[in-house]
Amino acid sequence: MTQSKKDKPPGKVTLRDVARESGVSVATVSYVLNDTGSVGEKVKKQVRTAIKRLGYRPNIAAQAMRTGRTKTIGIILPDLRNPFFPELAQSVESAARANGFAVFMVDTQESPTAEAEGIYKLIQYGVEGIVWCPSSDKDYFKEYNGAVPVVVIDRPLPDYDTVYSDYVKGGHLMARYLLDQGHQTIGLISGPQSIESAAQRRQGFLQGIGDQASLQWEVENPFSINLCPEAVAALLKKDVSVVVAGNDMIAIGAIKLFHQHNIKVPEEISVVGFDDIPWSEIVQPALTTMHQPIGELGKEAVNLLMRRIDNPKASRKSVILDVALVARQSVATR
């Protein structure tokens, strides 16, 4: 007589119970659960039906002990207050789930200490790989000497598999667009130059404007809606026709400041950003920005990580995704 779900509490159902219910060996049930071995679709369906009927719940810890695999990865992000990163995290989780992996997330809140501790804890918990968006150019993984596969996302770093958008091209496209709109006096609030993606955006933009426009001032600011005193002082000079921000959060912070001081955007000063986060469409005026494919970033990062997990000795690979200008209402023609 087969074991029914009512005969035994769900937490007590064993692998042997599933094997007995589905009429196969324990090894076959294990193959189906771990998606290994050569098992026909008919048998897989029998086993999965038995699992559902009995309410079997695999003991993940025991599986990890047997197989050496936890089917988990980690993702380390610098600041979940920035809408860019929750969307990125969601894309990573979705791609990981499609590969049969669960995700542990660490929000470092731009704290070097939290970043270092997060890396240590994820390795300690036994994740099979980590998607890492560094908060600076400091390599916190170096001391672990390849203990876990790592893919760096949104931040071009050497010695790692990486996936990021073409920031240099994005900066160049924005420069050409503003020149075409007749802007000749420019203020630049760049992101932290210790972050390579911010440095590349700045590089591309300055290359794009060349000597065709005047850079009146430049200030470095965190990737945040909160503007540093130097940025506030520069913006209130009102001596530029357009403000170029290192990302959308900085741009939205600039628009907010202008609203507070009754400076009209874009009639008096235009503003542009970079990233095309959801907020860029709802801020008033809607923000002209550079779109990067956040969903593709997450998907490609997980693809690279699965590749690295399956083959730790594979050659290093970088995936660079295209960007596109999104023209909205925050830029006036001069």
Side-chain angles (χ1 to χ4, degrees):
M1 184 176 177
T2 59
Q3 186 81 45
S4 71
K5 187 174 178 179
K6 291 181 179 178
D7 295 327
K8 191 177 288 190
K12 298 296 184 181
V13 176
T14 68
L15 214 61
R16 290 186 181 279
D17 296 326
V18 176
R20 190 180 303 114
E21 179 78 11
S22 54
V24 299
S25 68
V26 171
T28 299
V29 175
S30 180
Y31 290 150
V32 174
L33 288 170
N34 295 302
D35 199 22
T36 57
S38 299
V39 182
E41 288 302 319
K42 182 178 179 180
V43 174
K44 285 183 180 179
K45 185 177 180 180
Q46 286 177 217
V47 172
R48 288 167 182 159
T49 298
I51 287 170
K52 185 176 181 180
R53 184 161 54 240
L54 295 177
Y56 173 73
R57 297 292 181 268
N59 186 323
I60 302 300
Q63 282 186 351
M65 288 288 289
R66 289 195 306 270
T67 66
R69 302 200 65 178
T70 63
K71 300 295 282 186
T72 60
I73 64 172
I75 179 170
I76 301 174
L77 299 171
D79 185 6
L80 287 180
R81 294 170 300 180
N82 183 338
F84 176 86
F85 292 114
E87 187 173 349
L88 185 63
Q90 188 176 61
S91 68
V92 168
E93 196 280 332
S94 178
R97 182 163 18 97
N99 282 277
F101 280 71
V103 180
F104 292 118
M105 184 174 66
V106 174
D107 174 15
T108 68
Q109 300 178 38
E110 297 187 334
S111 162
T113 300
E115 190 164 14
E117 288 178 352
I119 290 169
Y120 174 75
K121 287 180 179 178
L122 287 175
I123 293 174
Q124 191 178 40
Y125 291 157
V127 298
E128 294 190 43
I130 297 174
V131 175
W132 177 37
C133 184
S135 61
S136 69
D137 57 359
K138 182 174 176 58
D139 187 351
Y140 290 101
F141 276 95
K142 187 174 291 186
E143 64 181 281
Y144 296 103
N145 194 29
V148 62
V150 177
V151 170
V152 175
I153 191 169
D154 191 48
R155 306 281 200 263
L157 280 186
D159 303 321
Y160 289 98
D161 294 316
T162 55
V163 55
Y164 56 95
S165 297
D166 195 338
Y167 305 116
V168 173
K169 177 181 177 181
H172 192 272
L173 287 175
M174 185 61 75
R176 302 313 307 172
Y177 172 74
L178 294 178
L179 290 173
D180 288 345
Q181 299 304 308
H183 289 277
Q184 294 294 308
T185 54
I186 297 169
L188 176 60
I189 308 180
S190 59
Q193 294 302 290
S194 61
I195 298 176
E196 181 62 21
S197 59
Q200 289 191 11
R201 295 174 192 195
R202 175 184 182 274
Q203 174 192 345
F205 182 75
L206 294 180
Q207 288 175 348
I209 62 171
D211 58 1
Q212 298 180 65
S214 172
L215 186 65
Q216 298 291 96
W217 48 260
E218 180 181 358
V219 177
E220 190 174 324
N221 196 83
F223 279 145
S224 169
I225 197 171
N226 299 314
L227 303 179
C228 64
E230 294 80 8
V232 172
L235 289 168
L236 294 181
K237 290 179 184 177
K238 297 175 58 178
D239 61 348
V240 297
S241 68
V242 61
V243 173
V244 176
N247 78 342
D248 289 346
M249 293 294 282
I250 298 173
I252 291 169
I255 291 174
K256 178 183 176 183
L257 180 73
F258 287 147
H259 285 340
Q260 291 171 341
H261 290 268
N262 296 315
I263 299 170
K264 294 181 180 180
V265 179
E267 292 84 354
E268 295 180 67
I269 302 178
S270 296
V271 179
V272 297
F274 200 114
D275 285 340
D276 195 23
I277 62 174
W279 291 5
S280 63
E281 285 190 278
I282 60 176
V283 68
Q284 291 297 321
L287 183 65
T288 292
T289 185
M290 193 60 57
H291 174 80
Q292 55 171 328
I294 301 175
E296 285 299 308
L297 282 169
K299 180 180 178 181
E300 290 296 338
V302 172
N303 287 343
L304 286 181
L305 192 58
M306 295 298 114
R307 170 180 177 267
R308 178 62 55 191
I309 289 170
D310 291 340
N311 184 7
K313 295 184 179 180
S315 58
R316 297 293 178 201
K317 184 175 181 181
S318 289
V319 176
I320 304 174
L321 301 178
D322 203 7
V323 294
L325 179 78
V326 179
R328 298 194 177 104
Q329 288 78 52
S330 65
V331 175
T333 301
R334 295 290 171 174

